[in-house]
């Protein structure tokens, strides 16, 4: 099917999926992931008329468009449709003509050992990547990215939707949890369904932790499906890099 006959959202998802399934390097951090993906999308000049990063959506503009937005002194838990104090900045925004779409990214890692070249020299058995152990924060953040894209899609008629991507090498993100952990309502395990409506933490846990990460509403239902990347490096326990890609539609 010709590119012109596909929707911007279909083109974007296909491009992101092609890229993450064929990329064989290592991302140093989330910003590195963002930059490399943006450059790849920009290289697809026949697909997009604009690719931009850190695309700012001013909160004052959103207030003018009817959003009930917390001030710094407000409790964000009282604003389940907009649980942020800060300005909204999308990781990547793309356009084709007068149609727009958003991309939000997460990168959640365990350390790996890999041979790499730096300044023309090979460094052997180098430990790379931070050990990000807080899987509850990763899951919550990814789900909140989905709400961010929903909100921008609601507020601006020319935004057709977006893509949320998380890349990780931690099996705890895609395996079904045992018992009822605090993060269960935000679990990203394979084939789990993230229902529309309000999402808040399970009972128990630190009230401070939960107050800093308030619950929020989503408009649509999403089903998680993880797939393998082509990144050859594994964590010490054997975990490979996998990705979860979610399409958010208007």
């Amino acid at each position: 099917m010709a590119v012109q006959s596909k929707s911007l959202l279909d083109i974007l998802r296909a491009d992101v999926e092609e890229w993450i399934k064929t990329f064989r390097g290592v991302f140093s951090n989330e910003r590195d992931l963002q930059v490399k993906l943006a450059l790849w999308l920009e290289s697809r000049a026949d697909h997009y008329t604009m690719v931009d990063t850190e695309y700012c959506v001013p909160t004052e503009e959103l207030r003018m468009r009817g959003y009930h937005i917390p001030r710094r002194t407000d409790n964000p838990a009282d604003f389940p449709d907009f649980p942020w104090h800060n300005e909204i900045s999308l990781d990547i925004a793309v356009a084709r003509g007068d149609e727009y779409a958003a991309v939000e990214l997460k990168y959640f890692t365990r350390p790996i050992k890999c041979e790499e070249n730096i300044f023309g020299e090979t460094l052997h058995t180098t430990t790379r990547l931070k050990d990000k152990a807080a899987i509850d924060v990763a899951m919550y953040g990814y789900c909140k990215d989905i709400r961010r894209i929903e909100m921008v899609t609601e507020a601006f008629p020319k935004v057709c939707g977006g893509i949320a991507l998380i890349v990780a090498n931690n099996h705890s993100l895609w395996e079904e949890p045992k018992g009822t952990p605090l993060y269960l309502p935000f679990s990203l395990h394979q084939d789990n369904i993230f229902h529309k409506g309000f999402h808040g933490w399970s009972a128990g846990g630190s009230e401070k932790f939960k107050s800093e990460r308030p619950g929020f509403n989503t408009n649509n239902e999403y089903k998680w499906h993880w797939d393998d990347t082509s990144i050859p490096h594994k964590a010490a326990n054997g975990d490979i890099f996998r990705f979860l890609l979610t399409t958010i539609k208007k």
Side-chain angles (χ1 to χ4, degrees), residues 1 76 92 120 131 145 152-153 155 171 191 209 218 244:
M1 186 182 295
I92 301 174
D131 189 1
D145 278 351
V152 171
T153 302
H171 68 275
D191 295 327
F209 175 89
T218 54
L244 171 61

Side-chain angles (χ1 to χ4, degrees), residues 61 74 86 105 156 161 181 227-228 241:
E61 177 65 24
D74 292 328
N86 54 308
L105 305 167
F156 295 89
D227 207 344
D228 298 344
F241 278 95

Side-chain angles (χ1 to χ4, degrees), residues 10-142:
D10 287 342
I11 293 169
L12 178 61
R13 183 185 175 96
D15 281 346
V16 173
E17 191 164 10
E18 178 186 348
W19 175 75
I20 197 60
K21 281 187 173 181
T22 56
F23 186 86
R24 295 185 59 82
V26 175
F27 308 110
S28 299
N29 50 42
E30 197 165 286
R31 181 57 57 86
D32 188 28
L33 169 65
Q34 176 191 21
V35 170
K36 285 184 168 66
L37 176 55
L39 289 172
W40 160 259
L41 294 174
E42 198 166 48
S43 73
R44 316 286 278 184
D46 56 330
H47 290 186
Y48 311 102
T49 53
M50 181 207 77
V51 177
D52 204 352
T53 59
E54 297 302 314
Y55 198 81
C56 182
V57 183
T59 51
E60 285 306 315
E61 177 65 24
L62 291 168
R63 281 195 178 93
M64 293 176 65
R65 291 171 182 261
Y67 275 87
H68 190 41
I69 298 175
R71 305 284 181 181
R72 285 290 173 185
T73 55
D74 292 328
N75 180 2
D78 296 331
F79 299 78
D81 290 320
F82 196 97
W84 295 278
H85 275 137
N86 54 308
E87 295 273 348
I88 296 297
S89 191
L90 300 171
D91 289 330
I92 301 174
V94 302
R96 185 181 64 175
D98 63 353
E99 190 175 28
Y100 296 80
V103 181
E104 287 286 80
L105 305 167
K106 287 286 180 287
Y107 187 46
F108 194 77
T109 58
R110 285 179 164 175
I112 61 173
K113 287 190 175 181
C114 64
E115 184 179 291
E116 53 182 339
N117 185 282
I118 181 170
F119 298 123
E121 297 183 11
T122 299
L123 304 178
H124 297 284
T125 61
T126 303
T127 300
R128 288 279 307 275
L129 307 180
K130 291 183 177 180
D131 189 1
K132 297 183 178 180
I135 62 169
D136 46 5
V137 174
M139 294 176 179
Y140 174 82
Y142 183 78

